[in-house]
């Protein structure tokens, strides 16, 4: 399969999406991107979160040369493969994550006693330092191998990241400890680390730094593990979208229905869709009439009536009668597949936000290494002796080793996300937090976000000769026999108001007009005014006015008649959530401009916007159009947050600077978003943004102090004045400060 892909690309050029392996931070993605873009005619963007590179290349370029270029940079790359089975897909991604989890567990179990013995003199028994060496060795060498491997790749390519500093610091601390134990005085029986805070120069032969080496490795492995686990979910939005499609389909072959896997459906095939089934592919109705629930694609709350000649989309649900459809688009050509591509493109095109630690490391790491080398040369050259020179140089690397830096982001995230979970807010990662502080516009999807997302009976208008209870009982009974979503809303409303409904005889669905039947001896009609007109039951002036008023307000009106006379009008609509107006006011207080975005018609959108206090309305927008609306707002210089809940919102959620999904929504929307509001209450959106902003401020504060402690202590280390107790105390205090600062997030209200 790969050779076919290669030959095609070689002749026509074009683009390819490579799977990239071995990246450990955002700077890795930047390095690969720069490497590829140096090739003639090649344009590449590398996404660290999704571990993919989108590469455009000229005709005559063999994609294998792209892979070779990535491998020269020290990373792995692979061409796209055909869709795999679920088992194969499930087995590939978790292996690397499981291996990292094993390293983390082992490092924590072994590092805790090492740190405890170093920090608590009472635990420093006769040979404690040798036990520390035995426990710390596998942590530093085996558990820390991902850092050492990444550092070696960096060295080979003349680059430096936090991996370089972690590897050098932990190996320097471990190596010096081994030297002090075997050739210095640290290995003598009964050696202890006393609590001394004196600043004085020493030769370092009695100092060991095993707790620093093991502790830093364990802390940073924890951060790496949680980061990778979050990244592994990046592709779930696409899988969730594609899983919404039908799995099998009833195809008509020689007049008989044959059920086959949807993959076997071809353009031109005719297939049957029964009530409640998903439509297997895009097509045109050739037989039958029905109502199709298209809310997942368009966001429209009212089902669409279809008949012969009308187009339908794969993945939507047949909510009415049996229809026969001729397939016009299958597989990758369906609107559902196009939506999946929109989500992927939006995710790949998102601005890659590098963590502050990675950005600073580009300068910080080389400076620290240069300072350590300079310190070694200075003390050795001025007659300080090899022991003192190495002690000072190693102290520089150890004090710069980012213990608090490793805690800065994970602890704030842990506390912030934990508090968020208590409040019904799920935060996906540190990149999300940086986005929240910049947004100035919030785009709200209407259906299911501002409104309840399902039709309800909201109005009952009675005419002459009928009371409200009788109208609801007769109409509700007839509609109860129908599968139409509007009929179900009327039946549900009738049950809520009048209780149990009577039975129906002679029920019939009148194509495109409504339903009819006998209820309690009455010949009842429910549907469009045209249905009643066919039976000489025109709407009187008062009911016609009620019908037109409902339609002008963007609601759906249904006429009811029996025994030769029009008796009433029932109005159904998707109701605004009780909390939506308060939520919009809260978002305004955060400095956000609300915009209502919907696939519904203008009248419906304006009515809803008026109820909740939104001035800017964009209506009758399809899924691809939603993405375009977000892009247009971004092009105008606005930072856009998007709140939605449906499959049709997934691509726009991914495109937005900040995506918030309602937990009551679809898996595709939740996976494509940055923040998930578990309770489905729009008011939580404001809380989510406030919490995310505060968590981000905490992370920034943590990172500042973590660097500040390192920078402040570096001169002492370079002067050879940093003894082990002060180094340990400074490192411990910086870590305690970072943790304490993060714990303040628990008070968020």
């Amino acid at each position: 399969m790969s050779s076919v892909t290669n030959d095609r690309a070689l002749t026509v050029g074009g683009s390819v999406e490579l799977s990239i392996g071995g990246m450990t931070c955002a700077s890795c993605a930047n390095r690969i991107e720069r490497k590829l873009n140096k090739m003639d005619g090649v344009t590449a963007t590398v996404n660290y979160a999704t571990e993919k590179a989108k590469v455009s290349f000229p005709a005559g370029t063999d994609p294998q040369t792209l892979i070779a270029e990535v491998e020269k940079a020290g990373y792995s790359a692979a061409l796209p493969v055909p869709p795999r089975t679920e088992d194969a897909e499930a087995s590939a991604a978790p292996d690397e994550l499981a291996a990292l989890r094993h390293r983390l567990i082992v490092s924590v179990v072994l590092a805790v006693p090492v740190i405890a013995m170093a920090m608590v003199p009472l635990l420093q028994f006769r040979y404690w330092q040798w036990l520390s060496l035995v426990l710390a060795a596998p942590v530093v060498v085996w558990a820390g191998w991902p850092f050492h491997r990444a550092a070696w790749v960096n060295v080979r390519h003349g680059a430096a990241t936090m991996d370089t500093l972690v590897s050098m610091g932990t190996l320097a601390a471990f190596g010096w400890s081994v030297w002090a134990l075997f050739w210095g005085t640290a290995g003598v029986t009964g050696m202890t680390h006393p609590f001394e805070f004196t600043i004085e120069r020493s030769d370092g032969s009695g100092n060991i730094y095993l707790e620093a080496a093991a502790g830093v490795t364990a802390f940073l492995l924890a951060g790496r593990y949680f980061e990778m686990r979050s990244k592994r979910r990046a592709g779930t939005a696409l899988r969730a979208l594609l899983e919404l499609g039908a799995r099998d389909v009833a195809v008509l072959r020689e007049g008989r229905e044959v059920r086959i896997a949807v993959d076997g459906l071809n353009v031109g095939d005719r297939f049957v869709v029964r009530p409640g089934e998903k439509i297997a592919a895009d097509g045109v109705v050739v037989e039958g009439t029905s109502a199709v629930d298209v809310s997942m694609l368009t966001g429209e709350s009212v089902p669409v009536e279809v008949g012969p000649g009308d187009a339908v989309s794969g993945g939507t649900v047949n909510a009415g009668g049996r229809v026969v459809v001729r397939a016009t688009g299958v597989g990758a050509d369906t609107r559902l597949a196009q939506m999946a591509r929109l989500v992927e493109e939006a995710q790949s095109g998102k601005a890659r936000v590098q963590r502050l630690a990675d950005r600073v490391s580009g300068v910080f790491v080389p400076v620290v290494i240069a300072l350590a080398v300079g310190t070694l040369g200075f003390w050795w050259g001025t007659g300080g002796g090899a022991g003192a020179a190495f002690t000072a140089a190693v102290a520089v690397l150890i004090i710069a080793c980012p213990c608090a830096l490793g805690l800065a982001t994970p602890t704030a995230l842990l506390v912030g996300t934990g508090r968020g979970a208590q409040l019904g807010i799920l935060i996906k990662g540190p990149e999300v937090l940086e986005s929240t502080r910049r947004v100035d516009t919030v785009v709200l999807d209407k259906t299911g976000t501002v409104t309840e997302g399902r039709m309800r009976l909201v109005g009952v208008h009675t005419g002459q000769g009928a009371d409200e209870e009788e109208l609801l009982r007769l109409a509700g009974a007839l509609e109860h026999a129908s599968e139409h979503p509007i009929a179900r809303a009327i039946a549900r409303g009738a049950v809520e108001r009048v209780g149990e409904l009577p039975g129906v005889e002679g029920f019939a669905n009148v194509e495109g007009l409504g339903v009819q039947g006998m209820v309690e001896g009455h010949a009842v009609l429910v549907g469009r005014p045209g249905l009643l007109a066919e039976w000489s039951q025109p709407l009187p002036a008062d009911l016609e006015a009620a019908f037109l008023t409902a339609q002008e307000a963007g609601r759906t009106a249904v006429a009811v008649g029996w025994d030769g006379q029009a008796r009433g009008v029932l109005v159904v609509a998707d109701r605004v959530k009780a909390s939506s107006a308060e939520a919009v006011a809260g978002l305004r207080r955060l400095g956000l401009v609300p915009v209502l975005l919907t696939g519904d018609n203008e009248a419906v959108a304006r009515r809803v916007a008026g109820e909740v206090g939104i001035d800017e309305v964009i209506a009758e927008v399809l899924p691809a159009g939603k993405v375009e609306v977000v892009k247009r707002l971004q092009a105008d210089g606005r930072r856009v947050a998007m709140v939605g809940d449906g499959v049709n919102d997934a691509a726009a959620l991914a495109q937005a600077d900040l995506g918030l999904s309602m937990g009551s929504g679809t898996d595709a929307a939740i996976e494509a978003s940055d923040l998930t509001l578990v309770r489905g209450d729009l008011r939580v959106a404001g809380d989510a943004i406030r919490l995310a902003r505060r968590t981000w401020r905490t992370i920034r504060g943590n990172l500042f102090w973590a660097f500040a402690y390192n920078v402040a202590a570096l001169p002492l280390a370079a002067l050879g004045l940093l003894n082990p107790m002060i180094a340990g105390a400074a490192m411990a205090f910086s870590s305690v400060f970072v943790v304490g600062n993060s714990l303040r997030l628990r008070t968020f209200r």
Side-chain angles (χ1 to χ4, degrees), residues 611-698:
E611 286 187 43
V612 299
I614 296 176
D615 301 322
E616 192 172 346
V617 176
I618 305 173
E620 300 178 21
V621 180
L622 295 177
K626 290 188 177 185
V627 177
E628 291 305 315
V629 167
V630 173
K631 286 182 178 178
R632 188 172 71 243
L633 292 171
Q634 290 170 330
D636 291 339
R638 296 163 81 168
R639 299 282 186 169
V640 180
M642 168 83 185
V643 188
D645 78 320
V647 173
N648 60 300
D649 302 319
L653 287 168
Q655 174 63 38
D657 297 287
L658 179 69
L660 299 93
S661 65
M662 311 298 278
S664 55
T666 62
D667 290 343
I670 291 170
E671 293 297 343
S673 65
D674 302 309
L675 294 167
T676 300
L677 315 179
V678 176
R679 296 209 304 267
D681 186 337
L682 187 57
R683 288 175 297 186
V684 183
D687 294 335
I689 292 174
R690 287 195 302 113
L691 175 61
R693 285 176 174 177
R694 184 167 164 186
T695 305
W696 173 246
R697 287 197 302 270
T698 301

Side-chain angles (χ1 to χ4, degrees), residues 235-464:
T236 313
L238 306 180
R239 289 195 295 274
L241 271 174
L242 295 174
E243 285 171 3
L244 288 170
R247 297 300 178 91
D248 53 24
V249 58
V251 181
L252 290 175
R253 299 274 167 83
E254 298 178 355
R256 293 187 305 111
E257 290 185 26
V258 180
R259 190 157 287 275
I260 62 172
V262 73
D263 293 342
L265 188 66
N266 298 312
V267 173
D269 284 347
R270 296 190 175 201
F271 59 94
V272 177
V273 189
R274 290 186 170 77
E277 289 185 340
K278 291 178 181 176
I279 297 174
D282 292 357
V284 175
V285 176
V286 294
E287 181 183 320
T289 60
S290 182
V292 177
D293 182 357
V294 296
S295 59
M296 60 164 287
L297 281 177
T298 68
E300 289 185 50
S301 51
V302 180
V304 175
E305 302 283 349
V306 297
D310 292 329
V312 292
S313 299
T316 55
V317 179
N318 178 18
R322 175 185 182 274
V323 292
V324 177
V325 179
R326 186 182 76 253
T328 59
V330 299
D333 296 326
T334 63
R335 288 182 68 190
L336 186 63
Q338 289 165 4
M339 285 177 60
R341 284 198 293 275
L342 281 171
V343 172
E344 185 167 24
E345 287 168 8
Q347 286 181 334
S348 300
K350 227 176 198 178
R352 296 181 300 281
V353 182
Q354 295 181 5
R355 290 186 181 180
L356 184 59
D358 284 324
R359 292 203 296 267
V360 174
S361 69
V363 176
F364 184 68
V365 175
V367 168
V368 168
I369 294 171
L371 184 59
V373 172
T375 300
L376 175 66
F378 175 79
W379 287 112
W380 207 338
T382 56
F390 275 107
T391 299
V394 169
V396 169
L397 290 174
I398 290 170
I399 199 63
C401 199
C403 184
L405 203 59
L407 285 170
T409 298
T411 53
L413 268 181
L414 183 66
V415 180
T417 54
R419 181 60 183 146
Q422 292 175 338
L423 300 173
I425 303 162
L426 301 182
I427 302 172
K428 290 199 174 174
E431 294 86 356
V432 173
L433 305 177
E434 189 168 2
S435 301
T436 59
R437 68 191 180 97
R438 294 178 173 155
V439 294
D440 53 32
T441 301
V442 58
V443 175
L444 304 174
D445 173 62
K446 180 186 73 69
T447 307
T449 301
V450 176
T451 66
E452 293 177 350
R454 70 171 186 166
M455 306 294 284
R456 288 182 179 273
L457 181 64
V458 296
V460 180
H461 302 277
T462 56
Q464 186 178 5

